[in-house]
Amino acid sequence: MTDAPAGFEESQELEMIRETARDIASDYDDEYFLKVSEGKEPTEFWNDCAEAGFLGAAIPQEYGGEGMGFWELSAIVEELCANGCLGAEMLFVVNVCFGGITLTENGSEEQKEEWLPGICDGDVNFAMALTEPDAGHNAPNMDTFAEQDGEEFVIDGTKQWISGVDVADRMLLVARTAPKDESAKMQGITLFLVDPDDPNIERRELDVGIPTPEKQFELSIDGYRAHEDDIIGTKGMGLYQLFDTVNPERLLGASGAIGVGKCAIDRAVEYANEREVFDQPIGAHQGIQHPIADSWAKLQSAGLLVRKAAWMVDNESDPKRTAEVSNMAKLRATEVGHDATDVAVQTHGGNGFSREYTVIEMWKGSRLGKVAPGSTEMMRNHVAEHTLGLPRSY
């Protein structure tokens, strides 16, 4: 846990971390990440992040991590994205957040010792299987069921929009261990650590129209056997345990959105200074200047909200307060970040649609942040109900 200085001013240590992120990013150009979005494994980039200690930033030192906090981790993701590492936030969400933070907070000592060092070293990849065709944001409605059979559980069900299963060493699988109960919707769901390569788990790749560093899959689970030692945390309390991951998950997405937005505006400023029309740079015209200036100001304000929420993950004792600020931060960051990429495309004019300039890839990729993790509609629902006291709408 790290104490943030008054006013959320960042320390000299954190600036050194950001500088390291910039150094790593400088070794990888747009072409590299375009290839990653087309299926290339980002092995070199991931190894550099591991060597810098980024993958274990929020993992305790006794398991090979740096023993810092989410305050540092979110800054790492923002800085990498701000310097052109497109899709980095998705890699960190799946591996570092779902794998590292989930096991750190809820894993058994044996699970931590077995898997956390590999996450820190970049040798172990994770996937998360939560979403189902009829249970997206409404996770308690899931149908995947784990029937207990002695010391084992036999799991059957379907999962959808599962990232990176093809390269995962282990997968966090969320399943029911008790029938649905309308009076206790949040209970009876358990988190399992499973082998995604088991023959009883079949996967079908989904055709996705946005650039992502990971492929997306639908999973058919038919008779997978998990041992009771594979349970993460407490049987029947899996959704509560996932709350330890939900805020970091959303905030890593928000950090990435701020970073991508800043990268897009930097590209817009550079282009507006270089591109000449009517005998002067287009950046001299207020019709170009003002949208860029507005986006930059909005990114700065949303970024402060994200930094506050990141600090609260490490320091706030009331998880409800952290959730309130995290939802507001994710809402604002993903909307403002995507708007910034739209301004960058508009600034580039026709060139904005050329992959050579990359801003169209930023535009497509940042659009995902308004849907997942956690849609902007659900963020607004949370603020309305939990912050403002309005009636529950769903």
Side-chain angles (χ1 to χ4, degrees):
M1 182 183 298
T2 301
D3 291 330
F8 304 104
E9 296 173 1
E10 297 190 343
S11 64
Q12 184 176 1
E13 178 186 11
L14 192 61
E15 177 51 37
M16 292 175 62
I17 293 172
R18 287 187 181 273
E19 183 177 351
T20 301
R22 291 192 289 270
D23 288 342
I24 290 175
S26 68
D27 290 333
Y28 301 95
D29 57 15
D30 289 347
E31 183 179 356
Y32 179 86
F33 284 102
L34 286 175
K35 289 181 179 178
V36 168
S37 72
E38 294 169 349
K40 171 185 168 59
E41 292 297 326
T43 305
E44 306 86 356
F45 169 73
W46 202 238
N47 287 341
D48 283 349
C49 287
E51 186 175 347
F54 288 175
L55 308 187
I59 293 175
Q61 291 179 330
E62 58 262 38
Y63 304 111
E66 300 298 317
M68 294 187 287
F70 191 78
W71 172 256
E72 290 85 1
L73 181 59
S74 66
I76 289 168
V77 170
E78 179 192 319
E79 200 65 37
L80 288 171
C81 292
N83 287 275
C85 300
L86 304 184
E89 75 281 10
M90 301 178 197
L91 294 170
F92 275 79
V93 164
V94 175
N95 287 288
V96 179
C97 185
F98 287 148
I101 293 179
T102 300
L103 289 178
T104 296
E105 295 294 332
N106 294 291
S108 66
E109 188 60 31
E110 292 77 11
Q111 290 167 343
K112 293 177 183 179
E113 291 177 357
E114 182 173 6
W115 298 108
L116 288 179
I119 293 174
C120 297
D121 294 340
D123 297 329
V124 171
N125 291 317
F126 266 73
M128 163 64 87
L130 171 62
T131 306
E132 298 184 6
D134 295 319
H137 288 103
N138 185 14
N141 195 46
M142 73 176 60
D143 292 317
T144 298
F145 200 87
E147 182 76 32
Q148 188 157 9
D149 180 18
E151 294 182 345
E152 293 185 325
F153 292 81
V154 182
I155 306 176
D156 298 285
T158 302
K159 297 293 182 179
Q160 197 175 61
W161 297 109
I162 311 305
S163 304
V165 181
D166 55 325
V167 296
D169 298 284
R170 278 297 179 270
M171 180 170 67
L172 308 179
L173 175 64
V174 189
R176 287 202 153 277
T177 47
K180 296 179 184 178
D181 183 352
E182 287 300 315
S183 65
K185 291 183 178 181
M186 298 300 295
Q187 299 180 16
I189 292 175
T190 303
L191 185 58
F192 293 91
L193 187 61
V194 307
D195 179 4
D197 290 326
D198 187 278
N200 292 307
I201 300 178
E202 295 185 4
R203 55 181 180 250
R204 178 178 67 86
E205 185 177 350
L206 301 173
D207 188 9
V208 179
I210 58 171
T212 64
E214 295 158 326
K215 298 176 182 177
Q216 307 296 316
F217 295 90
E218 179 178 271
L219 306 182
S220 296
I221 306 162
D222 184 10
Y224 179 92
R225 284 188 170 267
H227 194 273
E228 58 185 14
D229 291 341
D230 295 325
I231 292 176
I232 298 176
T234 305
K235 175 186 173 183
M237 303 298 287
L239 284 185
Y240 291 100
Q241 289 150 200
L242 282 175
F243 288 159
D244 294 329
T245 310
V246 165
N247 290 327
E249 173 199 18
R250 291 176 177 176
L251 288 174
L252 285 184
S255 300
I258 295 296
V260 171
K262 288 181 176 180
C263 185
I265 292 302
D266 284 343
R267 303 288 180 95
V269 169
E270 181 180 8
Y271 188 84
N273 278 321
E274 294 177 354
R275 172 69 168 166
E276 290 192 2
V277 177
F278 304 119
D279 299 323
Q280 61 179 332
I282 62 172
H285 300 288
Q286 291 179 352
I288 299 295
Q289 286 184 358
H290 288 183
I292 293 175
D294 281 342
S295 284
W296 186 253
K298 290 175 182 177
L299 285 166
Q300 293 297 319
S301 60
L304 286 175
L305 191 56
V306 172
R307 300 303 291 140
K308 177 179 180 179
W311 181 87
M312 292 178 75
V313 169
D314 291 333
N315 296 278
E316 174 57 57
S317 60
D318 184 354
K320 292 183 179 179
R321 291 189 61 190
T322 302
E324 287 184 25
V325 179
S326 296
N327 277 269
M328 287 187 283
K330 200 272 181 180
L331 170 64
R332 287 274 70 87
T334 52
E335 291 198 331
V336 168
H338 180 63
D339 288 347
T341 67
D342 196 72
V343 168
V345 171
Q346 191 72 17
T347 301
H348 282 73
N351 284 332
F353 297 94
S354 168
R355 297 188 75 198
E356 176 185 352
Y357 290 85
T358 313
V359 290
I360 189 61
E361 301 299 312
M362 298 180 189
W363 183 86
K364 289 189 291 185
S366 66
R367 184 60 180 82
L368 174 63
K370 296 171 69 172
V371 175
S375 69
T376 54
E377 290 80 8
M378 292 303 291
M379 302 301 103
R380 288 186 169 92
N381 286 339
H382 192 283
V383 173
E385 178 184 351
H386 297 282
T387 303
L388 303 176
L390 293 169
R392 187 178 180 89
S393 61
Y394 59 94

